[in-house]
Amino acid sequence: MQSETILEGVLLKRSQQKKKISPANYKERLFVFTQRSLAYYDFDKEKRGCRKGSIDIKKIRCVETVNPEECTPVERQYPFQIVYKEGLLYVYATNQENRRQWLETLLKEIKDNPFLLNKYHPGFFTNGKFLCCNQSCKTAPGCAIWEPYNTLRDPSNSKEHLPGNLKPKRPSLPPIPGEGKSSLGIAVAEHDYGPQDKSDISLMKNQKYHISSDKDPDWWKVGDADGKETGRSEDTSAEKERLQDYEWYVGDISRAQCEQLLRQKGKEGAFMVRNSSQVGKYTVSVFSVAVENKSGAVKHYHIHTNSENKIYLAQDHCFDSVPKLIIYHQHNSAGLLTRLRHPVSTKAKKVPSTAPLGNGPWELRRTDIVLTKELGSGQFGVVQLGKWKGEYDVAVKMIRESSMSEDEFLEEAQVMMNLSHPKLVQLYGMCTEKYPIYIVTEFMSNGSLLSYLKDHGKELQPFQLLEMCYNVCEAMEFLEHHQFIHRDLAARNCLVDNDLAVKVSDFGMGRFVLDDQYISSVGTKFSVKWSAPEVFHYSKFSSKSDVWAFGILIWEVFSLGKQPYELYDNTQVVEKVSQGYRLYRPQLSSEEIYEIMCSCWNELPEQRPTFHQLLSWMESFREDDSDDRP
Ligand code: AMP
């Protein structure tokens, strides 16, 4: 039975960029809006063609305008967005009036929908992030108030007459501490940055800042948590000068040496940027496995400059700095042999510049840290919130004497400090000259993932649970790529940031715990329930044993923080798992997600997926309908 058409018209639709690598494209579609669905069709010679996609009206959560992107052609001046359960659709109306009509009509029909959002993103999601707030997850909570929400949720508009269990449910997200300082969003500093004049503040790598003005195309005005502002922040012109800060920049090496290094790496998309034989020019060299009788090939691409002084590898994609060009081609092959996936470096790992003092290069001055409150306690002792240099929130792990094998830890610390990824809790430095030793890390305002799930899990929707797992998978893929084994991956060892992003913490730390209960397999703290069979039988850790633990973590997330195998003790778990017993499917998990968990629990490590594979599987669940790919 077809329901009656409420509104119909030809609009421009932007492709949904389900894969980060697919560039946006725009197609004319006939949109047909009925009480049931918003469907869009091929449209050729004034005739409706085949259906390309459809959104169930009940699943729509927000409809709103979007700020047009810079230098937008006339036909794309009136964009609007439809946020729905499985995705985000951008459509361009023909003019202002046409857009107003679509938005009003849509709003009328969705006003009683159960999961309307109270916040939205005023900027487009482009090339892997929202232009308004830089969040990199498509389902990240909005950064600006969605005004119509308040009107729609006015008690006088609500369905009070419905019996209790039929009232629309509206789970509100838990409050996000520190938000609301800026409608423009948050920026994360990529480098330390010293003040250039008196009006500037210094920026600390990985610290977050509120963007208070983005008027200047090159410079943002940002403020720190205390409201201090700087006239400038990270910018592209500064980046231009600092190619040597990038892992992929190798400077002067010969073509032969470059090919040797890339082949040695042997990974699809291994790449580096080197100085070209022409002074002041650069060459991007990339390796692909999939060509030339499977032995792979290295191709060298010169970075060209066009008449407007912009640089490019593919003529249609021009940039004003090498880092920007590389970032683009990390997501888009756009004519290259393959996209740039794995930077290959010739440099020794760098020491972060937050750590200039004391015994080791990581040493921080204890007097620069003021402890303000207790955050929790773990295997090594108490964790406190602190202010570093009076300005920056940090978490300080206070290591009790004899709770850690300190020498081994200090040996490893530098490796751990150099592991820097947006989804890893950043280790900033340490104070090691006396007890308690301080381990200073990034502060995560929503605390441990496990307690967050227990306290707020019911307020989260399955897509947000999936997003949390995806965040963890991103971090783990990074560790896997750097051949670093976590050894104790579990929800209790992940932390939740103020925007609900989840980051992996305590990587590698399990090795340094001096606690019999923790280390021994009969001890209550040993993570048997997260351990793969080869771990509890032979202590054989690998990235594949991390994959097993990741499967358990997905289970924890979709069970909202339940204890795995809650009816069994460690000994019984060893027995049961060895016999092939596996955890059941949590109610909130779809069959597909449960299949992912089960694949992580393959008895044979080599038959478990890698994090790299897991990431692409999970990415496909985050994506919505796949029409209109270029
Ligand atoms: P851990 O010693 O890592 O197990 O930490 C113990 C508890 O301290 C965690 O469960 C969190 O509640 C809290 N905590 C640890 N690190 C941080 C951090 N970086 N930011 C916020 N809270 C933290």
Side-chain angles (χ1 to χ4, degrees):
M1 194 184 75
Q2 272 197 331
S3 63
E4 219 172 285
T5 301
I6 303 170
L7 189 61
E8 183 174 310
V10 177
L11 304 171
L12 207 57
K13 174 184 169 295
R14 187 168 118 139
S15 61
Q16 290 181 290
Q17 281 193 294
K18 274 169 260 150
K19 292 256 178 276
K20 281 184 187 154
I21 50 171
S22 53
N25 70 15
Y26 306 88
K27 291 198 174 143
E28 276 197 341
R29 297 281 177 230
L30 175 68
F31 278 78
V32 180
F33 180 33
T34 67
Q35 272 172 338
R36 286 217 186 137
S37 69
L38 176 66
Y40 43 96
Y41 298 82
D42 257 342
F43 184 70
D44 195 22
K45 304 197 184 84
E46 306 294 305
K47 277 212 334 249
R48 181 196 285 196
C50 50
R51 196 173 83 166
K52 304 299 288 185
S54 165
I55 300 171
D56 180 346
I57 294 301
K58 286 276 160 279
K59 293 184 176 174
I60 297 182
R61 294 175 170 163
C62 169
V63 289
E64 187 48 278
T65 56
V66 200
N67 298 335
E69 285 173 288
E70 275 171 38
C71 313
T72 304
V74 275
E75 69 275 16
R76 301 209 299 265
Q77 292 293 334
Y78 302 100
F80 63 96
Q81 57 184 302
I82 297 158
V83 187
Y84 58 105
K85 184 175 171 222
E86 298 91 356
L88 175 54
L89 181 69
Y90 293 120
V91 184
Y92 299 82
T94 46
N95 55 43
Q96 181 107 12
E97 174 51 26
N98 178 244
R99 177 165 73 175
R100 191 199 52 74
Q101 189 190 14
W102 273 99
L103 287 176
E104 260 180 24
T105 317
L106 281 161
L107 211 51
K108 222 189 263 168
E109 290 303 313
I110 67 163
K111 70 180 186 340
D112 293 324
N113 281 4
F115 293 107
L116 292 182
L117 302 176
N118 55 3
K119 289 189 163 190
Y120 79 113
H121 292 281
F124 276 104
F125 187 84
T126 292
N127 293 333
K129 67 174 184 195
F130 280 104
L131 296 178
C132 42
C133 58
N134 273 339
Q135 294 190 76
S136 59
C137 153
K138 223 184 205 176
T139 52
C143 58
I145 303 286
W146 185 42
E147 294 294 346
Y149 175 85
N150 294 328
T151 330
L152 297 177
R153 288 299 171 229
D154 183 325
S156 58
N157 291 338
S158 78
K159 294 193 157 188
E160 283 307 328
H161 57 281
L162 289 176
N165 59 357
L166 287 181
K167 277 184 203 159
K169 284 200 202 108
R170 178 174 54 83
S172 61
L173 283 176
I176 299 173
E179 68 174 348
K181 294 222 173 194
S182 151
S183 57
L184 294 169
I186 303 276
V188 180
E190 282 186 8
H191 309 279
D192 291 330
Y193 183 82
Q196 302 287 299
D197 65 41
K198 280 189 194 144
S199 66
D200 287 348
I201 56 169
S202 45
L203 303 182
M204 190 172 148
K205 186 178 173 185
N206 288 333
Q207 193 71 33
K208 292 176 183 165
Y209 298 88
H210 300 276
I211 304 167
S212 50
S213 166
D214 62 356
K215 297 276 180 302
D216 188 305
D218 285 339
W219 296 101
W220 282 337
K221 193 172 207 175
V222 299
D224 63 17
D226 298 335
K228 282 196 188 168
E229 281 190 346
T230 177
R232 50 189 71 195
S233 88
E234 291 301 290
D235 101 314
T236 54
S237 49
E239 269 175 351
K240 267 189 231 166
E241 315 302 308
R242 291 203 290 242
L243 276 187
Q244 56 273 26
D245 282 359
Y246 291 88
E247 200 185 349
W248 37 254
Y249 178 66
V250 295
D252 280 320
I253 69 167
S254 69
R255 187 180 167 123
Q257 204 185 353
C258 154
E259 292 196 1
Q260 190 193 356
L261 285 167
L262 292 175
R263 283 183 186 281
Q264 234 167 36
K265 182 84 176 177
K267 285 195 169 180
E268 177 71 9
F271 76 100
M272 56 173 62
V273 178
R274 59 195 174 88
N275 294 343
S276 148
S277 49
Q278 257 180 294
V279 181
K281 302 256 177 211
Y282 303 101
T283 302
V284 179
S285 303
V286 55
F287 175 77
S288 175
V289 190
V291 279
E292 295 185 4
N293 302 330
K294 296 196 181 125
S295 65
V298 176
K299 294 264 182 243
H300 305 273
Y301 300 94
H302 297 299
I303 299 184
H304 299 286
T305 309
N306 68 12
S307 53
E308 288 157 8
N309 225 12
K310 300 261 186 212
I311 56 170
Y312 65 90
L313 289 173
Q315 242 166 346
D316 290 346
H317 304 285
C318 301
F319 304 90
D320 47 22
S321 74
V322 176
K324 279 193 170 174
L325 175 143
I326 296 299
I327 290 168
Y328 176 78
H329 286 287
Q330 284 181 312
H331 297 291
N332 305 276
S333 58
L336 306 187
L337 191 61
T338 170
R339 78 187 160 93
L340 309 177
R341 292 161 198 260
H342 304 288
V344 173
S345 179
T346 52
K347 297 179 194 109
K349 294 204 164 172
K350 278 185 277 102
V351 178
S353 47
T354 45
L357 303 160
N359 298 337
W362 54 78
E363 193 75 18
L364 299 176
R365 244 200 312 249
R366 202 174 281 250
T367 48
D368 282 344
I369 302 166
V370 177
L371 303 175
T372 51
K373 74 166 188 198
E374 189 171 320
L375 294 169
S377 68
Q379 289 130 19
F380 300 108
V382 173
V383 182
Q384 297 252 13
L385 174 63
K387 274 254 184 274
W388 184 66
K389 295 204 164 171
E391 293 197 59
Y392 306 102
D393 284 336
V394 289
V396 181
K397 247 183 214 196
M398 305 176 69
I399 311 293
R400 284 180 268 112
E401 194 160 0
S402 74
S403 64
M404 176 195 254
S405 54
E406 192 199 324
D407 293 346
E408 284 170 40
F409 175 71
L410 293 178
E411 256 173 47
E412 264 301 284
Q414 202 165 349
V415 176
M416 289 156 75
M417 212 144 71
N418 279 308
L419 288 170
S420 183
H421 183 275
K423 298 293 165 10
L424 283 180
V425 174
Q426 180 68 43
L427 185 58
Y428 290 140
M430 279 162 271
C431 307
T432 59
E433 83 291 0
K434 63 173 187 191
Y435 282 104
I437 289 176
Y438 286 3
I439 298 181
V440 183
T441 68
E442 176 180 7
F443 167 62
M444 300 283 286
S445 59
N446 274 314
S448 106
L449 173 60
L450 183 61
S451 38
Y452 193 86
L453 288 167
K454 286 182 179 166
D455 299 344
H456 299 286
K458 291 210 173 85
E459 298 154 37
L460 299 171
Q461 294 160 33
F463 79 94
Q464 290 172 302
L465 300 176
L466 179 63
E467 207 48 40
M468 291 178 148
C469 299
Y470 187 82
N471 291 168
V472 174
C473 196
E474 284 178 287
M476 293 308 298
E477 190 216 22
F478 174 83
L479 292 183
E480 172 183 77
H481 175 67
H482 287 82
Q483 285 141 30
F484 190 97
I485 307 166
H486 188 298
R487 292 166 182 251
D488 201 8
L489 180 62
R492 64 180 173 279
N493 285 332
C494 296
L495 293 163
V496 184
D497 211 350
N498 59 0
D499 60 359
L500 296 199
V502 173
K503 300 194 185 188
V504 172
S505 175
D506 288 338
F507 32 100
M509 293 288 282
R511 285 167 293 166
F512 313 116
V513 183
L514 289 180
D515 175 347
D516 290 344
Q517 286 292 301
Y518 182 80
I519 298 164
S520 95
S521 54
V522 287
T524 48
K525 297 183 196 165
F526 181 71
S527 320
V528 167
K529 294 183 172 183
W530 284 259
S531 299
E534 71 275 13
V535 170
F536 55 64
H537 288 310
Y538 320 109
S539 302
K540 191 172 180 300
F541 291 92
S542 64
S543 289
K544 291 298 180 86
S545 61
D546 279 351
V547 165
W548 180 290
F550 178 64
I552 307 283
L553 181 141
I554 307 180
W555 186 92
E556 289 182 277
V557 170
F558 280 88
S559 310
L560 308 183
K562 268 201 184 146
Q563 164 84 227
Y565 319 94
E566 58 190 337
L567 300 177
Y568 302 119
D569 63 23
N570 283 353
T571 321
Q572 288 169 312
V573 169
V574 169
E575 197 180 316
K576 287 265 180 197
V577 170
S578 305
Q579 288 164 357
Y581 175 90
R582 297 293 183 265
L583 287 164
Y584 58 88
R585 177 173 71 82
Q587 251 180 13
L588 291 173
S589 151
S590 63
E591 284 296 342
E592 289 99 328
I593 291 170
Y594 185 56
E595 267 174 40
I596 291 195
M597 294 181 219
C598 292
S599 72
C600 298
W601 302 327
N602 197 305
E603 194 189 338
L604 302 173
E606 60 279 10
Q607 294 201 356
R608 290 173 213 148
T610 59
F611 283 108
H612 188 71
Q613 280 166 325
L614 284 164
L615 200 63
S616 76
W617 293 350
M618 295 181 78
E619 186 151 326
S620 67
F621 295 142
R622 301 163 78 212
E623 294 160 358
D624 28 55
D625 68 337
S626 63
D627 88 297
D628 292 9
R629 290 255 188 87

